[in-house]
Amino acid sequence: MASNLTVNVHPGVYMNVVDTHMRRSKSKGNAQEKCMGTLMGYYEKGSIQVTNCFAIPFNESNDDLEIDDQFNQQMISALKKTSPNEQPVGWFLTTSDITSSCLIYHDYYVRVITEASARRESPPIVVLTIDTTFSGDMAKRMPVRAYLRSKAGIPGAAGPHCAIFNPLRVELAAFPGELVAMQLMEKALDSRRREATLESGLEQLEVSTAQMIEWLERMLSYVEGVNKDGEKPGDAQIGRQLMDIVTSSSNNMQPEKLDSLVKNTLRDYVMVSYLAKLTQTQLQVHERLVSA
Amino acid sequence: MSTAVTITAPSVKHILLDSLVVMKIVKHVDSELHAGISEVSGDACAGVLTGLVFLDNSRLEITNCFPTVRNEPVIDDDANAAQQYEEQKQQEMLDMLRKFRTMNIDYEIVGFYQSHQFGAGFSHDLVESMFDYQAMGPENVVLIYDPIKTRQGQLSLRAWRLSTAALDLASKNDWRPELVKAAGLTYQNMFEELPIIIKSSYLNNVLMSELALSKSYSSDKYSTRHFDLGSKKSLEKSVRAMMANVDELNKSIQSLTKYTIDKQRHDNMVFSLTQKRQQENESRQARGDPILPMDDIKRIKAPQLQTRNGLLDELLASFDTNALADFSKTVTSENITKLFIAEAVAEEKVAGTKDRTMSSVSSTR
């Protein structure tokens, strides 16, 4: 079956799931360890894009599985108004394993999604699990898995006996702005109070240039190590990539081209900067005159 | 706008933004740009912010947000339909807030966000919305997100709120030059900017580390977008926007000057007429005739400032221009730095010519 589909998840979805998990209510008798919700997105050729999600209240106590359907439907219609090109494509669960209760949830979702989708045959419905329990052999990580359900059974028998959840490949897809936001949030990993401040362009340039210098030094030491009578084994692939870098840089940064680029644009930038500052000074002067 | 609004001074000094909100805003705006919607019906991708206020720490925590439907163009001039539409939007907002409450998410509205190119886009509508939100709660703010700058590699989010003096004038919706001057309002102290700190929860940090290990991300992560030298087009657009603003500013300044001159003349005229009248009255009194009333003098109309909103347009245009100038300034200075870096990296320099008198603007007819 179409199990070569890739699930492209946007980072906002992950963060929403994590946030919902932290806010799960502890007051319903047995503390809920799981969160469940709907995934929204759109279908593409060969992949399913998941761009948004929201959590729904559900109850899993004593074999009595309840899902708040009205909430689900209302949220779907509300989200449809703001992002009309998104439709429900699946659901998520913050658990470490797929259990039999997932079958029932999945059936429910099949019903909801087939109703909501415009196509005649039922579109592939994704189950996304994010393991927030930090248990078992993945104690230090938070693995993300996606599945597609398919019926399975003994060939020749009347109907399908069981369902198999086929794992799918999960990848991170992001708009360019989202990548920038993620880079900024990673700074919060270093700070003690988990905070990050918006940085100015110059600081960012400083940090990136320092990083580039570090990488170049590492590459240089590697190349020298290989050259010194094979102290380190030379990897042909790395060598090819290095050559690619050097040739492309010498092609694109020919001295005359670079020189003319610098000369031309430097004047323009200085002029624009001057005009901008002049406008600002003018505004301030005008304010003084008017309010005097 | 209601007239009986109590204006309390806000006491929040900075904003703690949850990383989830940042991601949601970026995703909302970027996906609309991606789908090309904003090209068709103007910008103003907007949404509502929810969170909590901590008065003792004087900080505002923004923990979640949701997008609001963009304005449909009013098809018929039926006042009823417009009102129904407003009510419907309110209903949707309340609905969403109720859902938040069910899911244990903070459901108190603490402001709204909007996306504007280059971080400038202060219009009368924005001021009205800001006033409405601040009337609801004195700590509410507006977050302006700049997608262009973010696309160039640097996340740009700024938080603004109206200062108390501006709130005062906005509540009366009266922006006459006298009142503005009396309140000492300039474009610089009309809006207050609040510093933003982005905060991540522990689980979020784990998530970030987990994602960093994913193969597809690490190739994009070290995106050298901010090394890009080719930001000329966006600079052109911002300069053009600045020119439009300066033109508008010019117009409002001319009308202000005209108004001041007219008012001066009018005052002088009234004064001289009153003087003459008084003299006549005295002479008449001396003769015992009835005195002439002063009413008809008072009835001479005082000149009005021609613009619709008094001085508001001028203030907004100045502020807008200021924001645009900020953008241009920072971008150009960064670009100059990048150019120098590129020059330093180049292996050989072309001999001699340090002549920097050429410009890239060839004849563009």
Side-chain angles (χ1 to χ4, degrees), chain A residues 10-12 14-16 18-26 42 51-52 55-57 71 74-75 78-79 81-86 132 134 140-144 171-172 175-186 188-189 192-202 204-205 208-209 211-212 215 253 255-256 258-270 272-273 276-277 279-280 283-284 286-288 290-292, chain B residues 16 19-20 22-24 26-27 30-32 34-35 63-64 67-69 92 96 99 102-106 150-151 153-155 157 181 186-188 196-213 216-217 220-223 225-227 229 231-232 235 239 242 246 249 253 256 314 318 321-322 325-326 328-329 332 334-339 342-343 345-346 348 350 353 355-361:
Chain A
H10 282 250
Y14 288 131
M15 297 178 75
N16 214 343
V18 162
D19 185 69
T20 328
H21 181 76
M22 284 202 307
R23 290 179 189 274
R24 64 193 186 282
S25 57
K26 294 203 169 114
Y42 49 95
T51 51
N52 203 353
I56 61 182
F71 189 95
Q74 281 178 345
M75 266 301 231
L79 284 183
K81 290 204 195 99
T82 50
S83 344
N85 56 345
E86 282 181 359
T132 47
F134 297 107
K140 289 218 165 58
R141 303 192 47 177
M142 200 160 70
V144 175
E171 283 185 0
L172 183 75
F175 297 119
E178 290 180 343
L179 281 175
V180 172
M182 282 183 80
Q183 269 183 293
L184 186 62
M185 285 180 231
E186 287 194 347
L189 287 172
R192 280 205 66 219
R193 291 174 51 184
R194 303 167 272 127
E195 290 174 354
T197 44
L198 298 169
E199 53 195 10
S200 82
L202 287 178
Q204 207 182 19
L205 271 180
S208 322
T209 351
Q211 205 164 47
M212 291 264 276
W215 288 339
M253 292 228 299
E256 304 91 27
L258 185 64
D259 210 37
S260 63
L261 174 75
V262 167
K263 273 191 226 160
N264 291 348
T265 46
L266 193 65
R267 275 224 127 196
D268 290 340
Y269 287 145
V270 173
V272 173
S273 161
K277 286 190 195 148
T279 330
Q280 277 190 321
L283 283 174
Q284 288 174 356
H286 168 74
E287 282 303 324
R288 294 295 151 77
V290 162
S291 54
Chain B
L16 217 56
S19 38
L20 176 67
V22 175
M23 200 46 112
K24 274 181 121 171
V26 172
K27 179 247 162 205
D30 263 14
S31 62
E32 297 232 351
H34 191 68
T63 50
N64 216 324
T68 51
V69 185
E92 286 170 10
M96 191 60 97
K99 293 203 175 67
T102 327
M103 297 312 302
N104 283 345
I105 304 179
D106 293 327
T150 313
R151 192 93 31 93
Q154 196 188 319
L155 185 67
L157 268 178
K181 229 180 270 194
T186 68
Y187 78 96
Q188 277 162 331
I196 297 182
I197 300 180
I198 299 184
K199 194 160 175 131
S200 236
S201 60
Y202 287 117
L203 206 53
N204 227 335
N205 277 352
V206 177
L207 178 72
M208 285 288 131
S209 335
E210 178 70 40
L211 288 178
L213 291 173
S216 46
Y217 177 52
D220 288 332
K221 180 159 86 153
Y222 296 110
S223 77
R225 206 171 311 273
H226 48 276
F227 275 133
L229 287 173
S231 55
K232 262 204 280 211
L235 260 187
V239 172
M242 257 205 290
V246 169
L249 202 55
I253 291 178
L256 179 65
E314 188 242 334
S318 325
T321 322
N322 195 20
D326 263 342
S328 311
K329 215 169 44 162
T332 49
E334 286 162 27
N335 278 344
I336 294 179
T337 324
K338 286 184 225 168
L339 279 178
E343 218 185 2
V345 172
E348 325 150 9
V350 170
T353 52
D355 181 18
R356 303 196 193 270
T357 53
M358 286 201 294
S359 165
S360 68
V361 177

Side-chain angles (χ1 to χ4, degrees), chain B residues 74-139:
Chain B
V74 178
I75 312 171
D76 42 31
D77 36 17
D78 182 9
N80 245 350
Q83 184 162 28
Q84 266 182 3
Y85 185 67
E86 279 299 320
E87 285 176 0
Q88 192 188 13
K89 283 213 300 193
Q90 284 283 54
Q91 195 57 34
E92 286 170 10
M93 213 189 304
L94 289 173
D95 222 9
M96 191 60 97
L97 289 176
R98 235 174 275 140
K99 293 203 175 67
F100 271 15
R101 196 165 76 183
T102 327
M103 297 312 302
N104 283 345
I105 304 179
D106 293 327
Y107 57 91
E108 198 181 305
I109 296 186
V110 294
F112 67 110
Y113 68 86
Q114 264 196 347
S115 117
H116 283 287
Q117 291 192 339
F118 312 118
F122 293 89
S123 66
H124 185 53
D125 285 334
L126 185 67
V127 171
E128 257 185 60
S129 313
M130 281 175 81
F131 173 73
D132 282 336
Y133 274 88
Q134 279 186 259
M136 261 201 289
E139 319 290 348

Side-chain angles (χ1 to χ4, degrees), chain B residues 246-288:
Chain B
V246 169
D247 277 338
E248 220 191 276
L249 202 55
N250 234 354
K251 266 193 277 176
S252 63
I253 291 178
Q254 278 175 349
S255 66
L256 179 65
T257 336
K258 186 161 160 300
Y259 166 74
T260 341
I261 295 180
D262 281 345
K263 190 145 198 328
Q264 194 88 323
R265 222 182 294 150
H266 166 86
D267 281 340
N268 284 343
M269 191 171 60
V270 166
F271 184 64
S272 60
L273 280 179
T274 335
Q275 285 284 67
K276 269 196 270 175
R277 219 22 104 67
Q278 266 186 344
Q279 280 181 341
E280 244 193 71
N281 280 343
E282 281 169 21
S283 60
R284 283 200 181 199
Q285 254 184 348
R287 283 182 285 158

Side-chain angles (χ1 to χ4, degrees), chain A residues 209-221:
Chain A
T209 351
Q211 205 164 47
M212 291 264 276
I213 293 182
E214 190 194 312
W215 288 339
L216 286 173
E217 283 180 354
R218 261 203 275 171
M219 284 205 301
L220 196 59
S221 68

